[in-house]
Structures are given as C-alpha cells and as structure tokens.
Amino acid sequence: MTERKPRKDAARNRQAVLAAADDLFSRCESPEGVTLASIAAAAGVGKGTLFRSFGDRTGLLRALYEARLEPVRKAVESGPAPLGPATPPRQRVLALLDTLLCFKLDNRPLMLALEESGSGSPYQADHYERWHGLLDTMLGQIPGLTDSDFTAHALLAAVRADLVEHLAGHACVPRERMRAQLANFTAGVLGADPVRGLANES
Amino acid sequence: MTERKPRKDAARNRQAVLAAADDLFSRCESPEGVTLASIAAAAGVGKGTLFRSFGDRTGLLRALYEARLEPVRKAVESGPAPLGPATPPRQRVLALLDTLLCFKLDNRPLMLALEESGSGSPYQADHYERWHGLLDTMLGQIPGLTDSDFTAHALLAAVRADLVEHLAGHACVPRERMRAQLANFTAGVLGADPVRGLANES
DNA sequence: TTGCAAAGCGGACCCACGGTCCGTATCGTT
DNA sequence: AACGATACGGACCGTGGGTCCGCTTTGCAA
C-alpha cells in the first residue's frame, strides 16, 4: 500500500485547521471575509501548514464539506426510508432534495463559499457528479418521466446555495415554507398530482 | 435635469471599451482570463478611463449585458407573440425561458463572468429581479399553479449560466437538444401534459 | 539516552488583479 | 487665443491566494 502514516503533530494540526475553519464559517457571514490567513491564525498554525494539508482553498472547503456531509451520505447510501435505497423513487427524490435543502440551510456560509470558490463552477466538483448521478438514476426509474439527466440538473439547481441564501437571508423565507415550496415544486416536476402528505405513493 | 452632456472623446472611449470587452469575452474562454487591464489595453485606453466610465468590473459587465440584451428586452416588453405581452401565460413562459436559454448559449463567456462576478450572488443584480418579477406574474396567471414566486426562482435556476456552460461545454449537449429538454421540463412544471409542439394550448 | 534523517512547520515573500490618484492632455466655449 | 472644465492614463496601492526555504519536531535505532 502507498499509505504513509502521518506524523502525530501533522494530524493534530489538520484537525485544528478543520475546527478553526468550521468555526469561522459558522460564525461569520459572507464567506469572502473568511480568508486563508485568518483561518491559519485562528488555528494557530502558519499558512504553509494549511496549504500542505489541503492543497488550496478549495481543498480545504471540500474537506470540511465532506466531513459535515458524512452522516447524510451514510443515510442516503444505507439508511432507512425515506432516504435509504429501499425507498420507491418518487418519495426518495423528494426526501433527497429536502435533505439537501436542509443541509444547505444548516451550512449556509460553507456551502456558499464552496459553490462560488470551486475554481470555476460547482459542476466540476465530483460531489456534484455524485448527487447528479444518483438523482438521475432515481428519476430514470419513474415511469413517464423523460430527460432524467437534464431534470436532475434542474432539480439540483433549485437548491443551489446562493438561491437558498437569497431566499433565507434576503427574502426571509422561513425554513418550513421553503421546504414546502420545494416539495411542491418537485412533486410537480415528477408528474402526477402535487403531493400533500409527501408519503402516499405506490 | 441632471444630464451633463459627456465630452466627445469620453463617449468614444466608452464605446471603444465596450467593443473591446465584447470582443475579448466572445473570443476567450474562462472569463477569469479577461482582466480589466487587458480590456483597457485592447481598447487602447488607460485603466483609469475604464473605471471612470463604468465604476467597477461589475458595472462594465452589466453595461455590456444591457447592451446585448436590448433587443430581447424590447421583444419581451412590446414584441409580438410568443414573447410579447399579448401571449397567454403558458406559452409565454415557455417562450421566455427558451429565449433566455438561447441568449445564454449565445453569450456564454459574458454571462458566466456576469453571474460569478456580481459581487456576491447573481440574485442581487436588479436584472435578475426583473426577470423574476415578470416570470412570477406570468406564473400567477396560470390556474392551479401555486408558489409562483419560488417556482419562478427554480425555473430561472434551470437556465443559470454555469449550468448552461456545463451542459454545452463539458457534456457537449447540442443546442436544440437542450432547448427541447428545457421546454419539456418547463411544461412539466407548468402542470398538464408535456407539450409536444410547444404551441397548442388554450 | 543520544544521534540523526526525514517529516513537518511557519511566516516572509511573490504575484496577479481590482481599484485609486493626480499630474498632464484635450475639449469646447468665450 | 486663452482658459476653465473635463477626461486621460499609467504609476501606485491593498489584498488575498499560493510558494519557498531555513529551522524545529518527531520518531526510529543504536
């Protein structure tokens, strides 16, 4: 194997940086303000260390994202209904989008930073590919629905971080209302009748 | 009136800058590469001039955008069907989104730069407000459709510049296919049956 | 315990880019 | 022609991401 065990202090510093960044992001608005130097300072390490651990800004953001996303990923990959793999497609799509929305609501500054930094567009990040692929597959299993690929993109676009931020931050749309609107919209896209209880489908 | 007629050379320089920027944007990929200094150089003026005319990068982008958008705006505000105001809502929504998509396809680098620069999110730009307001109104006139506000946001999100860029540039989805997919998707959102000829509705 | 690479540290340094400033050139009016 | 107002342009600045390299720490081994 190519694994070289990292030195103890290295591991500790990595954790410190992660923690500091996490903290700064949840504390401050406007991810612009969270500079790499400030993260390094908050973590009590030098900039060099930070870059060695994460490559660049995007790398750090991604690492943070992965860390926070872990439980969600688990739930989707092998959890119980309505998120887990044993759920019928319609409900699972609803559940997935709802989960994504909530996640972005709960991690606004980070998600904002991640999407806008991504050295270009968020569409190049492979975590996007993952969500898109999953959604695509699920949509493909819904009879009567065409263009699952594009539809997946469009649905994901409806929960983009900056839109969420705009609605939650500027328009002050409350969380539950947003969730309801998204569910309603999604149900419309999936065809059929707008779901009311979001859990009665064959 | 507060209008002070600008000096002749000022006007000429403004045009030169606009032209140069237009050219650079349509020529180069990755709007990152189009720096203000390079625009100034290409226009044969100093950076100071550029900033005096447009305030900042976003101002320049916006000016360019407005200029290119002019015909579209006219067509929407007072043109003939299916874009003009006399069109029934369903068709007009379809037509508007299609138009927007085509516009972004035709102005990829510029739109990309505009959306990602906007000193924050594209949602703070007032041209976004305009499109959203219009769409919102139109959607409100479609019976049986709820949450027109959110729906308008979601539909606009489906034609965001970076998504369009991703599909057209990376995934190499041909123009007509994208238009068809978008039309299909939109029709789904509007309720009812997926339109086939996109022009048979009461 | 001590010695000694290798791994890691950190902050001085670099560069690109957006944006400002002010001495100088041009306009256009009298 | 002459003079104020207007605009020019490029030197200059601040900021923030990313790099470099001499010094410190670690952990293995004698």
Side-chain angles (χ1 to χ4, degrees):
Chain A
M1 63 163 69
T2 61
E3 284 297 295
R4 313 185 60 82
K5 61 159 72 173
R7 249 167 54 173
K8 209 171 32 179
D9 52 349
R12 194 167 38 75
N13 276 332
R14 185 184 169 91
Q15 283 316 111
V17 168
L18 236 29
D22 201 316
D23 184 55
L24 283 187
F25 273 117
S26 42
R27 186 174 316 287
C28 294
E29 338 282 293
S30 72
E32 316 291 327
V34 181
T35 171
L36 291 196
S38 74
I39 293 176
V45 304
K47 279 174 57 178
T49 303
L50 194 154
F51 279 99
R52 194 166 328 94
S53 297
F54 300 98
D56 60 1
R57 182 183 173 90
T58 303
L60 170 55
L61 259 18
R62 289 244 251 271
L64 252 179
Y65 170 73
E66 298 289 349
R68 293 211 197 173
L69 193 65
E70 185 61 18
V72 174
R73 234 201 51 225
K74 274 252 180 64
V76 171
E77 276 177 7
S78 59
L83 254 191
T87 322
R90 262 199 164 76
Q91 285 175 40
R92 200 166 173 224
V93 169
L94 265 313
L96 177 61
L97 286 172
D98 186 57
T99 301
L100 247 31
L101 173 61
C102 289
F103 186 81
K104 301 211 181 183
L105 280 170
D106 292 335
N107 299 279
R108 278 203 264 156
L110 172 61
M111 293 311 295
L112 223 34
L114 187 64
E115 273 193 14
E116 86 191 16
S117 151
S119 62
S121 66
Y123 295 97
Q124 286 167 18
D126 48 345
H127 57 82
Y128 182 84
E129 291 299 332
R130 279 218 313 277
W131 291 131
H132 177 263
L134 181 58
L135 235 195
D136 188 9
T137 304
M138 284 159 45
L139 292 173
Q141 293 167 11
I142 297 181
L145 207 158
T146 57
D147 293 329
S148 62
D149 182 86
F150 181 85
T151 305
H153 281 300
L155 283 177
L156 287 176
V159 292
R160 279 184 63 165
D162 49 4
L163 176 52
V164 169
E165 172 66 26
H166 176 68
L167 293 177
H170 283 249
C172 296
V173 178
R175 181 188 185 95
E176 293 311 320
R177 175 155 174 67
M178 259 181 86
R179 293 180 63 191
Q181 288 178 326
L182 175 65
N184 184 33
F185 177 80
T186 309
V189 170
L190 296 191
D193 37 50
V195 174
R196 271 172 180 67
L198 83 66
N200 38 14
E201 204 66 32
S202 81
Chain B
M1 62 161 69
T2 61
E3 284 297 294
R4 311 186 59 82
K5 61 159 69 173
R7 248 168 55 175
K8 210 171 32 180
D9 52 348
R12 194 168 38 75
N13 275 332
R14 186 185 170 89
Q15 282 317 113
V17 168
L18 237 27
D22 202 317
D23 184 56
L24 283 187
F25 272 117
S26 41
R27 186 173 315 287
C28 294
E29 339 282 294
S30 71
E32 317 291 328
V34 180
T35 171
L36 291 197
S38 73
I39 293 176
V45 304
K47 279 174 57 179
T49 303
L50 194 153
F51 280 98
R52 196 167 326 96
S53 296
F54 300 99
D56 61 0
R57 182 181 171 91
T58 303
L60 171 55
L61 259 17
R62 289 244 252 272
L64 252 178
Y65 170 72
E66 298 289 348
R68 294 211 196 174
L69 192 66
E70 184 62 16
V72 174
R73 234 201 51 223
K74 274 252 181 60
V76 171
E77 276 177 6
S78 58
L83 253 192
T87 322
R90 262 198 164 79
Q91 284 175 42
R92 199 164 174 227
V93 169
L94 265 312
L96 177 61
L97 286 172
D98 185 56
T99 301
L100 247 30
L101 173 61
C102 288
F103 186 80
K104 300 210 181 183
L105 280 170
D106 292 334
N107 298 279
R108 278 203 265 155
L110 172 61
M111 293 311 295
L112 223 36
L114 188 63
E115 272 194 14
E116 86 192 15
S117 152
S119 63
S121 66
Y123 295 98
Q124 286 167 19
D126 48 345
H127 57 83
Y128 182 85
E129 291 299 331
R130 277 218 314 275
W131 291 130
H132 177 264
L134 181 59
L135 235 195
D136 187 7
T137 305
M138 284 159 47
L139 291 174
Q141 292 166 12
I142 297 181
L145 209 157
T146 57
D147 292 329
S148 61
D149 183 86
F150 181 85
T151 305
H153 282 301
L155 284 176
L156 287 176
V159 292
R160 279 185 61 164
D162 48 4
L163 175 53
V164 169
E165 171 66 26
H166 176 67
L167 293 177
H170 283 249
C172 296
V173 178
R175 180 187 185 95
E176 294 309 321
R177 177 155 174 67
M178 257 181 90
R179 293 179 62 190
Q181 288 178 326
L182 175 64
N184 184 33
F185 177 79
T186 309
V189 170
L190 296 191
D193 36 50
V195 174
R196 272 173 180 67
L198 83 67
N200 38 16
E201 204 66 33
S202 83

